Amino acid sequence: MTLNKTLVQMSTDIETARNKSDFSTESMYYLLRGGPKAIEQLDYFRNLTQNDPVFNKSEVPFLNRQEQLQKALQISKRLIELMQEQDMNESQCAALIEHIDFALPVTLHFKAFMPVIKNQGTPKQVDKWYNAARKCAIIGCYAQTELSHGSNVMGLKTEAVYDQNSDEFIIHTPDITAAKWWVGGLGVACTHAVVQAQLLIGAKSFGPHLFIVPIRSPIDLEPFKGITVGDIGPKAYGGFATSDNGFVLFDKVRIPRDNMLMKFSQVTRDGKYIAPVHSKMSYGSMVKIRVDLVEEAGWRLGKAVTIAVRYCTVRRQFQAPESKLDNSNLETQVISYSSVKHRLMSLLSTAYALIVSSEAMYTKFNTLTKQLEVNNATMLPEVHATSCALKSWSTRHSADGMEECRKAMGGHGFSVFSGVSELFAIFVPSNTYEGDNFVLSQQVARFLLKQLNDMSKGKQLTSTTEYLNTLTEEPTDSFKFENPYEQILDPRIQLKVFGRRTARLVASLDKQLKSGRAWSDLNVECWAVSTAHAEYFILQEMIRKVEAVRPVAEYAKLADTLKAVSDLFCLFTLNYSSSSTFLSTFTIHPSDLDMLNGQYRTILAKVANNAIPLTDSFGFTDFELNTALGKKDGRAYEHFWDVVQKNPVNSKAENVKLRKLVLDILHRGNTLKVSKL
Amino acid sequence: MTLNKTLVQMSTDIETARNKSDFSTESMYYLLRGGPKAIEQLDYFRNLTQNDPVFNKSEVPFLNRQEQLQKALQISKRLIELMQEQDMNESQCAALIEHIDFALPVTLHFKAFMPVIKNQGTPKQVDKWYNAARKCAIIGCYAQTELSHGSNVMGLKTEAVYDQNSDEFIIHTPDITAAKWWVGGLGVACTHAVVQAQLLIGAKSFGPHLFIVPIRSPIDLEPFKGITVGDIGPKAYGGFATSDNGFVLFDKVRIPRDNMLMKFSQVTRDGKYIAPVHSKMSYGSMVKIRVDLVEEAGWRLGKAVTIAVRYCTVRRQFQAPESKLDNSNLETQVISYSSVKHRLMSLLSTAYALIVSSEAMYTKFNTLTKQLEVNNATMLPEVHATSCALKSWSTRHSADGMEECRKAMGGHGFSVFSGVSELFAIFVPSNTYEGDNFVLSQQVARFLLKQLNDMSKGKQLTSTTEYLNTLTEEPTDSFKFENPYEQILDPRIQLKVFGRRTARLVASLDKQLKSGRAWSDLNVECWAVSTAHAEYFILQEMIRKVEAVRPVAEYAKLADTLKAVSDLFCLFTLNYSSSSTFLSTFTIHPSDLDMLNGQYRTILAKVANNAIPLTDSFGFTDFELNTALGKKDGRAYEHFWDVVQKNPVNSKAENVKLRKLVLDILHRGNTLKVSKL
């Protein structure tokens, strides 16, 4: 079929929206991505991968699980070849794995197995294992979680018993509840695992330690004696189908004593345990993993928003009264429905805010790391707590936001080719991993209660908790606006309002606790406190970014645009996503809501006017978005049609099998006997 | 491996929770399912299906899309055989299709194709087509949505041009944007489609009408001349993988004039159009479809809650301080964490409330139908609006609630074998179909504004909108509690508070509109109004149910239990899910929140104490739940282990292929040349 008017209109619609931009998309792209050097590396990776057919993911939805794993292994192989052809250093290898954005059987080889050996191994161990891993002469995974233990690491049941006679550890799984479970790379690919197991010497237990355990022979991948290993099967929503999350049982598997990672704790030849010199460096690495998730939350939500905004710009439905007047006969662009604008623009602002906040957290993390290196752990509690709050907030809001994007796309959003469901499927488990969000929020609350206590003793607050001071100034009043519509755009007032709300929630939690409620009864209150703390931090960092950008020549013109995005985040949080706690803490008086909501709508219109340029600014290529409905050229229907034509269900070979079954229904029991002549 | 202490403990935990029940699970089961007759039919269907291996769905996650379709066709065939063997009547056939709860290529044959022919066909047409369909000599689908048109039915582009010369309609797709799309049963299975197309006679258009169009030959399933047909491919989250949603293009396909469904409108031999005598009966059927969704929302959420409550009862994590004292050394049951209780019990109450509300809506619908039959449409606007509000509320809350259940299950919740993700995947598109939720909320708001206007003119309000009267009594004050903790359990006060909030949101919308804001700018406000209206209705029906149950001998003892569930719904809505609108409308004063929250916690504890019996009362069999983690016996780890052992990725044949690819990585480029001797 030939192209028709609608398809031409789609191109026109997206170009029109693109041309409306009142800022430089390219400058914004550089700003968001972290400047020319970062873009240079991005382009380098894109050039290496995006034209190579092995990396093309568009037909993955048609493959079964085993075929998806095959594809993932082919991609893995090509990536490793590239690393060697291009002579990449370690950080480039890790960045390339990140860049390809595909759950691979070797992902955790680079992201967990190698780092853990480097950080926890003695120099000799690093020399042996890390170097073999670097060359992919072995493939490793990191085995911690068990069937019956996730969050409670201390409760792990796998045993590592030291046998002094043979100078070996005996790794053993006492029963199936201690099976290692969910381990990425273990199902099919790995030859070795770093295993968390309870160290036992004689009758004495020393808690979980790390052991390198050979799993499969690098020669033929046959599992070693005593090892029962496999893949744990499909995951929710089709997520991580290309990753071989696996299980393993150890039946008294013997490994040399040298296979215990001994940089910190050691077991000597004669079975003495040498306790670790306590290092807080390891806390630092947990912070890093959480900040990585905050950043990922921002960019992935950015992808979903890009797809949804583009599709809703070209999708038209129902005729607008105004189009009847101008005789164009066009239906209304879906993006111009106020409910769609409301949902998508707030998510756009969230994506920006998370990218900006993760940058700020990385800066904090780098300072912390330098201080920890000289044994100064002053910043640790604050950075730990804030990273918990942000991880918890961002993973939840980002995943929920992706699904909201999908819903905003209407019926076609439910096709796998929208590309949005895959984003959700791969990111939603981050609500649970690296610390369940509800568990983390308790740690945030504990820290804030401690700050409150410090404050009452006259100690200085950290930079992220200064808002607690508002408790002494305005303990209970609503914020007195003279003109809420205007004033709420003042960043100092925004922070005052956000800070006051958070401080009051902390104070209320403190009061509840002191009135005798058990800590374990206060999970929900901790959640509210953690949410408010995250929202304060995010808003503060958005405000700082706007201020930081103004004096920089190449970015100065972006300041007003960014300010609108920041204001939208502020006003959406105030009026919608968190309005209940602003009201319940008496921070905002209901009588001010009309005006605040009026300003929300003003800012919403401003941001919506730049919706396409603001999403273009993330700078995703069509290859990266992996969508039929949200490509840059806006020709959603055409691309959707094209990809559906590749559906194997429609192929001759498959169709014959299916037809036979349908005919079994139509013709059932109707076989006529051939009568005898 | 043998069973260990943990597995025995799991059985003990669930039995202990089961035995704590302070009501009869069996009575509650009968009450929820609608009494002995309904249970009888349920048991009849269960006996027919649950022991037949063809209906076993547990290994479906291991199949690829084509294999899933094959499985679905085998199930379809067996169902149709059963219908004939058992000589089922029409309503039994439809109920059996419902019961099997599996998206099949023939589902819409029974649920859409046959009903539409029956309702829209002349007696002669019914005689011909309906009877052939009844015997499954043909398989049908219902083709309405197009690539570029969903919600806007009037904008459909497929044409049906009357050719007077040949006495035929020419069905034609002008371009790919008019391709019929998403049609269930069209991708692989159907022989015929009821097609919505623009009726054209000469140059004149008469809007969308229905035509029976042959698609594939019932002899060999070869598509007829001019038909391009296929399956549209995988859907989001793996949902509806067993259904063959398809597309079709018509290239001037000729059908006899008789193939237009002519019960209401007709085209005569000489090309005259006879307009339908307007019947409001068709509105009724839309109401029915929405109420079906409300009911489905309740039961499906009930499944997710059953699974999550059971798993969280047997999953233990972290050691509770009290268990150290009693030396049992047991970790804490996850269900006893306050955040888990908060999330799961509120969803449990929602499931109950939706089941009860859908019952009430069916009663209303039946009354409406009887009245419409005698051309009395008085109830139509109210029932239409309330069904829209409930459809919108229930589909969103139920799908979101399923995902919350999955999250509450922690890491293992992300396995497909939790069974919860499949529930979400199949139900979340109901946010969009049968009227996009945001579009429907506008119709609710329009109705309520009209009621407000009627009230101002002294007209009587409908039974579901009487709350608008509160506007005249208490236009702006907060509710004056003397003792909020006690008083909020009084059903009259609960309804007063819910009604006042809803009335004020309606009044505020009215004010905004009158102040000059455009209707199209008020989507978000309509959403708030629709939400509040639904919550008022649901609460009202729960309260009525409690009152209705008290005097009935066999159910009287359930009243207190149900009252607690109803109170929990009320208090969760008030304190959490909708607290912002109670506060923003000044209905609740923030100073009352502490006491209201205290009562919420009291009721929460009460409901949580009955969590297992309350979920058992839904009466789902293990077969129906299709879960490894939430089976009735509580032995989650054992079942999870067992199902993973069936994973084909771990089979010899598949593993060989995967191994080869891993070895390609490990051994890449290391081929040694054999040196010459």
Side-chain angles (χ1 to χ4, degrees):
Chain A
M1 295 240 167
T2 54
L3 295 183
N4 81 334
K5 273 197 321 192
T6 308
L7 300 179
V8 174
Q9 183 64 42
M10 293 174 117
S11 299
T12 309
D13 284 340
I14 204 142
E15 282 312 316
T16 307
R18 195 159 272 146
N19 294 333
K20 273 199 301 195
S21 178
D22 60 15
F23 68 94
S24 156
T25 306
E26 205 195 352
S27 296
M28 189 67 92
Y29 172 55
Y30 271 72
L31 180 70
L32 289 173
R33 294 277 179 173
K37 255 186 93 172
I39 301 276
E40 199 181 306
Q41 169 157 305
L42 188 59
D43 287 341
Y44 169 60
F45 286 154
R46 283 174 174 169
N47 283 332
L48 283 179
T49 56
Q50 300 198 350
N51 297 315
D52 186 334
V54 77
F55 296 116
N56 187 326
K57 297 175 243 173
S58 65
E59 288 163 44
V60 170
F62 296 134
L63 306 179
N64 71 15
R65 178 85 204 297
Q66 293 90 288
E67 290 163 343
Q68 291 195 336
L69 285 170
Q70 288 168 24
K71 171 92 181 167
L73 287 167
Q74 286 155 354
I75 290 181
S76 302
K77 184 184 170 211
R78 185 68 196 124
L79 282 178
I80 291 163
E81 284 169 358
L82 281 175
M83 289 170 189
Q84 299 192 332
E85 283 166 25
Q86 299 281 320
D87 201 16
M88 291 186 192
N89 63 31
E90 293 161 40
S91 79
Q92 283 175 316
C93 293
L96 178 62
I97 288 281
E98 276 302 330
H99 173 78
I100 208 66
D101 187 23
F102 201 72
L104 297 170
V106 300
T107 302
L108 294 178
H109 173 77
F110 291 99
K111 286 178 71 176
F113 184 71
M114 287 172 60
V116 87
I117 289 176
K118 199 171 186 187
N119 297 329
Q120 309 275 327
T122 62
K124 216 180 118 197
Q125 289 175 320
V126 171
D127 190 51
K128 174 175 176 180
W129 296 105
Y130 187 81
N131 285 333
R134 178 95 174 77
K135 293 175 195 151
C136 296
I138 58 176
I139 297 174
C141 64
Y142 179 77
Q144 178 172 309
T145 302
E146 295 173 357
L147 189 50
S148 71
H149 282 104
S151 299
N152 182 15
V153 178
M154 297 310 288
L156 293 174
K157 289 179 164 184
T158 303
E159 296 163 357
V161 181
Y162 182 55
D163 175 14
Q164 200 178 322
N165 291 335
S166 62
D167 197 23
E168 288 171 325
F169 289 106
I170 304 166
I171 308 293
H172 187 63
T173 307
D175 61 70
I176 64 161
T177 66
K180 292 293 173 185
W181 209 267
W182 281 109
V183 186
L186 177 62
V188 166
C190 84
T191 61
H192 291 71
V194 168
V195 175
Q196 279 260 21
Q198 298 285 353
L199 171 62
L200 293 157
I201 308 177
K204 199 167 171 199
S205 170
F206 294 88
H209 285 71
L210 299 174
F211 303 86
I212 297 178
V213 184
I215 303 290
R216 298 179 179 93
S217 159
I219 310 301
D220 60 2
L221 289 177
E222 199 57 33
F224 287 114
K225 192 187 145 197
I227 303 274
T228 306
V229 63
D231 177 286
I232 62 162
K235 281 135 275 185
Y237 312 133
F240 287 89
T242 53
S243 166
D244 57 335
N245 298 75
F247 66 86
V248 64
L249 301 173
F250 302 104
D251 184 10
K252 302 200 172 145
V253 172
R254 289 178 168 268
I255 56 169
R257 182 171 54 90
D258 272 356
N259 280 26
M260 173 174 153
L261 291 176
M262 295 217 205
K263 182 169 176 188
F264 298 109
S265 8
Q266 285 142 44
V267 174
T268 63
R269 176 68 189 86
D270 56 350
K272 257 197 218 111
Y273 178 73
I274 302 176
V277 181
H278 186 66
S279 162
K280 286 190 166 146
M281 288 299 286
S282 61
Y283 288 94
S285 68
M286 282 156 57
V287 169
K288 170 74 165 57
I289 289 170
R290 284 192 289 268
V291 180
D292 286 347
L293 283 174
V294 179
E295 189 190 19
E296 192 181 338
W299 287 106
R300 281 196 193 275
L301 179 58
K303 280 189 181 174
V305 172
T306 302
I307 293 168
V309 164
R310 286 180 181 169
Y311 176 69
C312 292
T313 299
V314 301
R315 170 85 170 175
R316 289 172 173 269
Q317 202 75 179
F318 291 110
Q319 200 157 34
E322 54 273 24
S323 76
K324 282 176 188 158
L325 291 176
D326 75 0
N327 230 355
S328 74
N329 232 5
L330 288 173
E331 292 178 278
T332 305
Q333 289 169 280
V334 169
I335 192 82
S336 59
Y337 287 97
S338 58
S339 56
V340 174
K341 228 182 296 187
H342 169 74
R343 290 142 80 201
L344 293 184
M345 293 307 106
S346 58
L347 292 169
L348 174 62
S349 77
T350 301
Y352 269 73
L354 287 176
I355 291 167
V356 166
S357 306
S358 66
E359 263 175 38
M361 280 305 292
Y362 280 126
T363 308
K364 271 187 193 296
F365 170 73
N366 291 335
T367 312
L368 171 68
T369 307
K370 278 188 192 123
Q371 294 185 358
L372 286 176
E373 278 165 6
V374 294
N375 258 327
N376 171 0
T378 327
M379 278 177 75
L380 188 57
E382 175 204 351
V383 179
H384 166 77
T386 301
S387 76
C388 290
L390 285 175
K391 183 271 177 186
S392 175
W393 195 95
S394 65
T395 53
R396 191 166 182 102
H397 280 77
S398 174
D400 290 356
M402 292 166 193
E403 167 53 22
E404 196 63 53
C405 286
R406 196 198 59 70
K407 284 195 188 90
M409 294 171 74
H412 294 341
F414 194 61
S415 167
V416 80
F417 302 117
S418 76
V420 177
S421 61
E422 165 69 7
L423 292 168
F424 177 87
I426 209 158
F427 197 62
V428 73
S430 66
N431 276 272
T432 310
Y433 60 61
E434 308 304 343
D436 176 87
N437 284 350
F438 281 86
V439 175
L440 291 185
S441 70
Q442 293 183 52
Q443 303 189 23
V444 181
R446 276 209 194 278
F447 165 73
L448 292 173
L449 289 175
K450 199 164 172 305
Q451 287 279 301
L452 190 69
N453 189 38
D454 285 358
M455 183 179 83
S456 72
K457 291 182 186 155
K459 288 192 197 165
Q460 224 200 316
L461 296 169
T462 69
S463 69
T464 51
T465 56
E466 274 169 3
Y467 57 74
L468 290 172
N469 282 318
T470 60
L471 288 172
T472 47
E473 300 153 22
E474 316 94 349
T476 55
D477 299 350
S478 294
F479 189 86
K480 298 260 177 323
F481 286 106
E482 281 156 34
N483 176 350
Y485 186 86
E486 290 297 333
Q487 282 180 293
I488 197 58
L489 298 185
D490 179 340
R492 286 161 308 175
I493 291 179
Q494 291 177 349
L495 284 176
K496 198 154 241 175
V497 170
F498 273 59
R500 203 181 277 192
R501 176 206 35 164
T502 312
R504 288 177 185 185
L505 288 170
V506 177
S508 160
L509 175 63
D510 188 56
K511 203 179 117 194
Q512 300 274 344
L513 203 56
K514 285 177 177 155
S515 78
R517 285 182 65 192
W519 178 254
S520 62
D521 189 37
L522 286 159
N523 292 174
V524 178
E525 289 76 3
C526 290
W527 179 257
V529 161
S530 178
T531 301
H533 180 69
E535 287 167 354
Y536 180 86
F537 182 86
I538 294 169
L539 177 62
Q540 188 178 43
E541 293 309 326
M542 275 300 276
I543 289 170
R544 283 190 180 148
K545 188 75 180 181
V546 174
E547 283 160 12
V549 154
R550 278 201 201 282
V552 181
E554 64 266 45
Y555 297 138
K557 286 184 182 161
L558 304 175
D560 288 347
T561 309
L562 273 181
K563 170 82 168 83
V565 174
S566 174
D567 287 340
L568 191 66
F569 175 80
C570 170
L571 285 156
F572 180 79
T573 308
L574 204 58
N575 281 288
Y576 293 97
S577 58
S578 282
S579 82
S580 62
T581 49
F582 285 99
L583 294 167
S584 68
T585 56
F586 301 85
T587 307
I588 293 288
H589 195 275
S591 59
D592 287 326
L593 285 175
D594 268 1
M595 297 278 265
L596 292 172
N597 201 271
Q599 185 58 271
Y600 167 71
R601 295 196 308 270
T602 304
I603 297 292
L604 178 61
K606 207 165 161 179
V607 172
N609 213 37
N610 277 320
I612 288 289
L614 282 167
T615 50
D616 280 351
S617 298
F618 293 124
F620 296 116
T621 63
D622 283 348
F623 178 90
E624 285 157 359
L625 291 175
N626 194 24
T627 172
L629 298 177
K631 286 193 200 289
K632 194 158 188 181
D633 68 8
R635 301 178 96 129
Y637 297 149
E638 201 177 347
H639 297 301
F640 196 10
W641 173 265
D642 287 346
V643 71
V644 163
Q645 300 319 306
K646 298 178 185 163
N647 183 358
V649 171
N650 301 329
S651 75
K652 203 99 203 173
E654 293 297 336
N655 200 254
V656 165
K657 291 183 224 163
L658 294 165
R659 264 189 204 195
K660 205 199 141 295
L661 292 165
V662 179
L663 291 174
D664 278 352
I665 295 174
L666 289 164
H667 302 172
R668 75 202 169 287
N670 294 343
T671 318
L672 294 173
K673 285 185 186 161
V674 179
S675 59
K676 287 175 189 166
L677 287 174
Chain B
M1 294 238 167
T2 54
L3 295 182
N4 80 335
K5 274 196 320 194
T6 309
L7 300 179
V8 175
Q9 183 63 44
M10 293 172 116
S11 299
T12 310
D13 284 341
I14 204 141
E15 282 312 315
T16 307
R18 196 159 273 146
N19 294 334
K20 273 198 302 194
S21 178
D22 59 16
F23 67 95
S24 156
T25 306
E26 206 196 352
S27 298
M28 189 68 92
Y29 171 55
Y30 272 71
L31 180 70
L32 289 174
R33 294 278 179 173
K37 254 186 93 172
I39 301 275
E40 200 182 305
Q41 168 156 306
L42 189 58
D43 287 340
Y44 169 59
F45 286 155
R46 282 174 173 167
N47 283 332
L48 284 178
T49 56
Q50 300 199 351
N51 297 315
D52 186 335
V54 78
F55 296 116
N56 187 324
K57 296 176 241 172
S58 66
E59 287 164 44
V60 170
F62 296 134
L63 307 179
N64 71 16
R65 178 87 204 295
Q66 293 90 287
E67 289 163 343
Q68 291 194 336
L69 285 170
Q70 289 168 27
K71 171 92 181 166
L73 287 166
Q74 286 155 354
I75 290 181
S76 302
K77 184 185 170 210
R78 185 69 195 119
L79 282 178
I80 290 163
E81 286 168 358
L82 281 175
M83 290 170 188
Q84 300 192 332
E85 284 167 25
Q86 299 282 320
D87 201 17
M88 291 185 193
N89 64 30
E90 293 161 40
S91 80
Q92 283 175 316
C93 292
L96 178 62
I97 286 282
E98 276 303 329
H99 173 78
I100 207 67
D101 187 22
F102 201 72
L104 297 170
V106 300
T107 302
L108 294 178
H109 173 77
F110 292 98
K111 287 178 70 175
F113 184 71
M114 286 173 58
V116 87
I117 289 176
K118 199 170 186 187
N119 296 330
Q120 309 275 326
T122 62
K124 215 179 117 197
Q125 288 176 320
V126 171
D127 190 51
K128 173 174 177 180
W129 295 106
Y130 186 81
N131 285 333
R134 178 96 173 76
K135 295 174 193 147
C136 296
I138 58 175
I139 298 173
C141 64
Y142 179 77
Q144 177 171 310
T145 301
E146 295 173 357
L147 189 51
S148 70
H149 281 105
S151 299
N152 182 14
V153 177
M154 298 309 291
L156 293 174
K157 291 181 165 183
T158 302
E159 296 164 356
V161 181
Y162 182 56
D163 176 13
Q164 201 179 323
N165 291 335
S166 63
D167 196 23
E168 289 172 322
F169 289 105
I170 304 166
I171 308 293
H172 187 63
T173 307
D175 61 71
I176 64 161
T177 66
K180 293 292 173 185
W181 209 266
W182 280 109
V183 187
L186 177 62
V188 165
C190 84
T191 61
H192 291 72
V194 168
V195 175
Q196 279 260 21
Q198 298 286 352
L199 171 62
L200 293 156
I201 308 178
K204 199 166 172 199
S205 170
F206 293 88
H209 285 71
L210 299 174
F211 303 86
I212 297 179
V213 184
I215 303 290
R216 298 179 177 92
S217 158
I219 311 300
D220 61 1
L221 289 176
E222 200 56 34
F224 288 113
K225 192 185 145 199
I227 303 274
T228 305
V229 63
D231 177 286
I232 62 162
K235 281 135 273 186
Y237 312 134
F240 288 88
T242 53
S243 165
D244 58 335
N245 299 75
F247 66 86
V248 64
L249 301 173
F250 303 104
D251 185 10
K252 302 200 172 145
V253 172
R254 289 179 168 268
I255 56 169
R257 182 171 54 91
D258 272 355
N259 280 24
M260 173 174 154
L261 290 176
M262 296 216 205
K263 181 168 176 188
F264 297 108
S265 6
Q266 285 140 44
V267 174
T268 63
R269 176 67 188 90
D270 57 350
K272 255 194 222 116
Y273 179 73
I274 302 176
V277 180
H278 186 66
S279 161
K280 285 189 167 147
M281 287 302 284
S282 62
Y283 288 93
S285 69
M286 282 155 58
V287 169
K288 171 72 165 58
I289 289 171
R290 284 192 289 267
V291 181
D292 286 347
L293 283 174
V294 179
E295 189 190 20
E296 191 181 340
W299 287 107
R300 281 195 192 276
L301 180 59
K303 280 190 180 175
V305 173
T306 301
I307 293 169
V309 164
R310 287 179 181 171
Y311 176 69
C312 291
T313 299
V314 301
R315 170 84 169 175
R316 289 173 173 268
Q317 203 75 180
F318 292 110
Q319 199 157 33
E322 53 274 23
S323 76
K324 282 175 187 158
L325 292 176
D326 75 1
N327 231 355
S328 75
N329 232 7
L330 287 173
E331 291 178 278
T332 306
Q333 288 169 282
V334 169
I335 193 83
S336 60
Y337 287 97
S338 58
S339 55
V340 174
K341 229 181 296 187
H342 169 74
R343 290 142 80 201
L344 294 184
M345 294 307 105
S346 58
L347 292 169
L348 175 61
S349 75
T350 301
Y352 269 73
L354 288 176
I355 291 167
V356 167
S357 306
S358 66
E359 264 175 37
M361 280 304 293
Y362 281 125
T363 309
K364 272 186 192 297
F365 169 73
N366 291 336
T367 313
L368 171 68
T369 307
K370 278 188 195 124
Q371 293 186 358
L372 286 176
E373 279 166 6
V374 294
N375 258 328
N376 171 0
T378 326
M379 276 178 75
L380 188 58
E382 175 203 352
V383 180
H384 166 76
T386 301
S387 75
C388 289
L390 285 176
K391 183 271 176 184
S392 173
W393 194 96
S394 65
T395 53
R396 191 165 183 105
H397 280 76
S398 174
D400 289 357
M402 292 166 193
E403 167 53 21
E404 197 63 52
C405 287
R406 196 199 59 70
K407 285 196 187 89
M409 294 171 77
H412 295 340
F414 194 62
S415 167
V416 79
F417 302 116
S418 76
V420 178
S421 61
E422 165 69 7
L423 291 168
F424 177 88
I426 209 158
F427 197 62
V428 73
S430 66
N431 275 272
T432 310
Y433 60 61
E434 308 303 344
D436 176 87
N437 285 349
F438 281 86
V439 175
L440 291 186
S441 71
Q442 293 182 54
Q443 303 188 23
V444 182
R446 277 209 194 277
F447 165 72
L448 292 173
L449 289 174
K450 198 162 173 305
Q451 287 279 300
L452 189 69
N453 189 40
D454 284 358
M455 183 179 82
S456 72
K457 290 182 186 152
K459 289 192 196 163
Q460 222 198 320
L461 295 169
T462 69
S463 68
T464 51
T465 55
E466 274 170 2
Y467 57 73
L468 290 172
N469 281 320
T470 60
L471 288 171
T472 46
E473 299 153 21
E474 315 95 348
T476 56
D477 299 350
S478 295
F479 190 87
K480 297 261 177 321
F481 285 105
E482 280 155 33
N483 176 350
Y485 186 86
E486 291 298 334
Q487 283 181 294
I488 197 61
L489 298 186
D490 180 338
R492 286 161 308 175
I493 291 179
Q494 291 176 350
L495 284 176
K496 198 154 240 178
V497 169
F498 273 59
R500 202 180 276 193
R501 179 214 19 174
T502 311
R504 288 177 185 185
L505 287 169
V506 177
S508 160
L509 175 63
D510 188 56
K511 204 179 117 192
Q512 300 274 345
L513 203 56
K514 285 177 177 155
S515 78
R517 285 182 65 192
W519 178 253
S520 63
D521 189 37
L522 286 160
N523 291 174
V524 178
E525 289 75 3
C526 290
W527 180 257
V529 161
S530 177
T531 301
H533 180 70
E535 287 167 355
Y536 180 86
F537 181 86
I538 294 169
L539 178 63
Q540 189 179 42
E541 293 309 326
M542 275 299 276
I543 289 170
R544 284 189 179 149
K545 188 75 180 179
V546 174
E547 284 159 12
V549 154
R550 279 200 200 282
V552 181
E554 63 265 45
Y555 297 137
K557 286 185 182 161
L558 303 175
D560 289 346
T561 309
L562 273 182
K563 170 82 167 86
V565 174
S566 174
D567 287 339
L568 191 66
F569 175 80
C570 169
L571 284 157
F572 180 78
T573 308
L574 204 57
N575 281 287
Y576 292 98
S577 59
S578 282
S579 81
S580 62
T581 48
F582 285 99
L583 294 166
S584 69
T585 55
F586 300 86
T587 307
I588 292 289
H589 195 274
S591 59
D592 287 327
L593 286 175
D594 267 1
M595 297 278 265
L596 293 172
N597 201 271
Q599 185 59 272
Y600 166 71
R601 295 195 307 271
T602 304
I603 298 291
L604 178 62
K606 207 166 161 180
V607 173
N609 212 38
N610 276 321
I612 288 289
L614 282 167
T615 49
D616 280 352
S617 298
F618 293 124
F620 297 116
T621 63
D622 283 349
F623 178 91
E624 286 157 357
L625 290 175
N626 194 24
T627 171
L629 298 178
K631 285 190 199 292
K632 194 157 187 182
D633 67 8
R635 299 178 98 128
Y637 297 150
E638 202 178 345
H639 298 301
F640 195 10
W641 173 265
D642 287 346
V643 69
V644 163
Q645 300 318 305
K646 299 177 185 164
N647 183 358
V649 171
N650 301 329
S651 74
K652 204 100 202 171
E654 293 296 338
N655 200 256
V656 165
K657 292 183 223 162
L658 293 165
R659 263 190 204 193
K660 204 198 140 296
L661 292 166
V662 179
L663 291 174
D664 278 353
I665 294 173
L666 288 164
H667 302 172
R668 76 204 168 286
N670 293 342
T671 319
L672 292 174
K673 285 185 187 162
V674 179
S675 59
K676 288 178 188 166
L677 288 176

